[in-house]
Amino acid sequence: MELRLYDTLTKEKRPFVPLDPKNVRMYVCGPTVYDFAHIGNARPVIVFDVLFRLLRHLYGEAHVKYVRNITDVDDKINDRAARDFPGLPLNEAIRKVTELTEKQFHEDVDALGSLRPTVEPRATEHIAEMRAIIERLVAGGFAYVAEDHVLFSPQAMNAANAVLPRYGALANRSLDEMIAGARVDVAPYKRDNTDFVLWKPAKPGEPSWPSPSGIATPGRPGWHIECSAMAWTHLGEQFDIHGGGIDLVFPHHENELAQSCCAFHANRMANTWMHNGFLQVESEKMSKSLGNFITIRELLADWPGEVLRLNMLKTHYRSPIDWTVAGLRESQTVLDRWRRTVSDNGVSSDDVDGDFCAALKDDLNTSKAIARLHELHAMIKGPSSGLAQIELQRKLKASANLIGLIEAPFKDWHRQLLAKQTKFDLTWDETLEPFIETKIYERTAARARKDFKESDRIRDELAAMGIVLKDGKDADGNPITTWEIAR
Ligand code: AMP
Ligand code: ZN
């Protein structure tokens, strides 16, 4: 089965045909670095990581390039820097904020089991390319300079007869409606109320860079041009996939697309536009004012990153997610069950289950793929002979690995659970104890029938999970085996 992906622009699920199968290229809008990322921000990180892994599986690791930018020019960054480091010059304060936030972001997404993208460009390192695109747009008549601003004109774009797409096509809005619906208090330097900023003057003390030709004083870029420039630098004029959250469709992606197509006289920027749905918490929109704003960092204090990851992937990426503690507990139980079923032995990508992979190739249907993991698990637990059992275990592990699950050794998983689950009032069934107690019972039985090979095997199996058994005597002098986590 071929890979099919839903494209926001054409509004259909289409076969994915890379421009160059030896160099499959994907751009995803990354974080604006001024604060801890919240669990909503984790959704595109995890979803596009799964896509990255799938593309690497299908086209080869060396043939996929994933670019996720870091937005380090933004008013929110400037405000945070002034607030947190009032004694420092603004430029230095900004650097402190962006460096610290970038480090936190990397720690968080690593803990979620996401691979680092091939390139993580920073906006501040691509100002020259932004200027170059802006100058092309002005030269082409798509943008104009006014009061030290450069503005893009969607109306000029739609008036051009060339191969260009129509402004508004991505968001499925007509420019006429936008013109009619736009605010009345339009900035005086705009010719039309739908024009948007490519470049603007910097406020005193703010970071600034030499402006595009036609403007004498230094200035700073608008948000949309940053991504057009970074995508162009690292992926070329056209590439395969552009992704982000659904909130970015308009205006951010519509404007990126307009800028890039007009600058390069192209009919498209990316071949496929993909957008993840929104995440809400316990049936409510997550927002600072409602006080239900949860950071990835806070969740990682209570749950292994793998639990957050599975919980995110249980829902198809285009559907909304309701993020609940009940869902997290269920995800933890499921992972623990799978973990106990497969061994730590290595598997290869050849072991990935066919039905599982087919589900992923159907527009990244992770919920269907996870249902298949449940089936594989049930088959392992069901009656079957030794060899098939081992094959099934390899399939379960290799398939889970493909979406970034069950990668770390079992003992790391257990250590995490023991460190974190104590905060929760889990039922006995949800803890590790029943599993270990069952193993101890089986070992005691083996010893009683003098099957020392089997009793040693069970002890070694637990040791491999980081659990040490101690044989001793209880108060009445009867033999008893206790356990503890290896240090
Ligand atoms: P931001 O830093 O707000 O630009 O967001 C970074 C990424 O997270 C973008 O791709 C957003 O679309 C995405 N995002 C933000 N909030 C949510 C949410 N509640 N659910 C899903 N994705 C989100
Ligand atoms: Zn972007």
Side-chain angles (χ1 to χ4, degrees):
M1 192 190 143
E2 59 192 0
L3 172 60
R4 289 156 62 82
L5 296 172
Y6 181 86
D7 173 28
T8 311
L9 182 61
T10 52
K11 290 151 198 72
E12 58 182 7
K13 222 195 272 186
R14 280 191 289 119
F16 175 74
V17 184
L19 292 165
D20 173 5
K22 291 257 172 281
N23 184 19
V24 181
R25 288 160 287 162
M26 169 163 83
Y27 186 93
V28 175
C29 294
T32 305
V33 282
Y34 68 98
D35 204 349
F36 282 107
H38 59 65
I39 188 62
N41 300 137
R43 195 167 189 196
V45 169
I46 294 173
V47 162
F48 291 103
D49 177 66
V50 168
L51 181 55
F52 181 38
R53 288 168 182 264
L54 178 64
L55 292 170
R56 283 158 54 107
H57 178 68
L58 299 176
Y59 296 96
E61 284 187 15
H63 303 300
V64 184
K65 189 168 181 186
Y66 172 21
V67 179
R68 184 181 63 210
N69 72 291
I70 288 176
T71 299
D72 59 352
V73 186
D74 191 277
D75 284 335
K76 291 192 282 281
I77 299 173
N78 300 352
D79 295 347
R80 184 60 61 104
R83 190 195 80 180
D84 288 358
F85 302 97
L88 285 184
L90 189 59
N91 274 312
E92 260 175 64
I94 287 173
R95 196 163 53 244
K96 277 204 185 300
V97 169
T98 55
E99 277 175 7
L100 178 68
T101 313
E102 194 181 314
K103 184 169 157 284
Q104 290 162 348
F105 178 73
H106 280 145
E107 288 166 359
D108 288 350
V109 301
D110 289 351
L112 293 173
S114 294
L115 302 174
R116 293 284 179 96
T118 323
V119 191
E120 285 190 282
R122 290 190 194 85
T124 49
E125 291 163 0
H126 294 78
I127 305 284
E129 291 89 349
M130 296 177 204
R131 258 195 317 264
I133 297 180
I134 292 172
E135 287 169 2
R136 282 184 188 215
L137 291 172
V138 174
F142 300 105
Y144 59 93
V145 177
E147 295 181 24
D148 292 345
H149 290 72
V150 185
L151 294 137
F152 184 94
S153 165
Q155 299 187 45
M157 175 180 176
N158 279 10
N161 56 2
V163 289
L164 301 176
R166 179 177 57 79
Y167 185 86
L170 184 70
N172 206 12
R173 301 183 189 195
S174 93
L175 188 54
D176 288 343
E177 275 166 27
M178 287 185 230
I179 295 167
R183 286 180 319 180
V184 251
D185 55 336
V186 180
Y189 45 82
K190 289 192 182 179
R191 285 186 196 157
D192 293 302
N193 54 12
T194 48
D195 296 350
F196 63 87
V197 168
L198 298 174
W199 191 266
K200 58 188 172 186
K203 296 191 201 99
E206 267 183 2
S208 62
W209 295 267
S211 293
S213 56
I215 303 175
T217 48
R220 46 179 285 210
W223 173 33
H224 317 304
I225 197 71
E226 297 178 10
C227 284
S228 282
M230 288 184 270
W232 176 42
T233 309
H234 297 283
L235 299 177
E237 295 182 2
Q238 288 179 19
F239 49 95
D240 298 295
I241 297 168
H242 192 132
I246 189 89
D247 57 321
L248 297 186
V249 173
F250 194 87
H252 186 51
H253 287 170
E254 189 77 58
N255 291 353
E256 272 187 45
L257 189 159
Q259 294 160 168
S260 296
C261 288
C262 291
F264 309 127
H265 301 286
N267 64 345
R268 59 184 164 217
M269 179 184 190
N271 264 346
T272 309
W273 290 82
M274 294 177 67
H275 294 97
N276 63 267
F278 245 49
L279 174 149
Q280 55 173 18
V281 172
E282 307 283 356
S283 306
E284 281 196 81
K285 185 177 180 304
M286 188 166 58
S287 81
K288 283 206 163 116
S289 55
L290 285 173
N292 61 351
F293 188 90
I294 316 177
T295 63
I296 302 173
R297 191 59 60 105
E298 286 165 337
L299 284 163
L300 285 172
D302 294 341
W303 308 92
E306 212 174 331
V307 170
L308 308 185
R309 187 177 183 89
L310 174 62
N311 205 49
M312 197 68 88
L313 295 175
K314 284 195 298 197
T315 308
H316 184 254
Y317 76 93
R318 282 194 282 127
S319 305
I321 286 193
D322 189 22
W323 189 265
T324 63
V325 170
L328 285 165
R329 290 174 71 142
E330 200 246 3
S331 299
Q332 173 165 310
T333 307
V334 165
L335 270 176
D336 197 43
R337 213 178 279 148
W338 292 346
R339 282 280 194 181
R340 290 176 202 182
T341 309
V342 300
S343 76
D344 273 345
N345 294 341
V347 288
S348 84
S349 58
D350 294 338
D351 294 314
V352 172
D353 176 66
D355 289 349
F356 173 87
C357 199
L360 289 184
K361 283 155 99 179
D362 180 13
D363 191 29
L364 226 56
N365 194 337
T366 51
S367 38
K368 197 165 159 203
I370 287 166
R372 178 62 185 159
L373 296 183
H374 284 295
E375 263 174 37
L376 289 171
H377 178 263
M379 282 154 74
I380 295 168
K381 286 288 165 191
S384 108
S385 68
L387 189 61
Q389 208 82 349
I390 290 169
E391 256 169 42
L392 287 168
Q393 285 170 339
R394 293 177 70 89
K395 275 187 181 209
L396 175 56
K397 183 157 188 225
S399 306
N401 283 177
L402 179 55
I403 55 173
L405 298 171
I406 321 197
E407 286 186 314
F410 193 93
K411 64 176 194 289
D412 292 356
W413 161 256
H414 267 204
R415 283 219 179 88
Q416 285 195 43
L417 272 196
L418 287 166
K420 298 178 195 227
Q421 70 180 4
T422 48
K423 298 193 181 71
F424 288 89
D425 178 21
L426 296 179
T427 64
W428 191 73
D429 231 28
E430 288 169 316
T431 65
L432 304 167
E433 279 148 62
F435 172 71
I436 299 168
E437 296 298 336
T438 309
K439 290 286 172 191
I440 291 177
Y441 177 84
E442 284 169 2
R443 177 169 168 270
T444 307
R447 277 159 48 114
R449 60 173 193 270
K450 303 217 177 330
D451 183 353
F452 297 113
K453 208 172 149 206
E454 172 65 2
S455 69
D456 285 352
R457 192 197 61 73
I458 295 174
R459 192 196 51 217
D460 293 346
E461 184 189 340
L462 289 173
M465 297 171 181
I467 291 152
V468 188
L469 298 185
K470 279 204 183 137
D471 295 317
K473 294 215 159 43
D474 70 8
D476 302 327
N478 297 318
I480 185 172
T481 303
T482 54
W483 61 274
E484 63 181 37
I485 299 294
R487 265 168 253 286

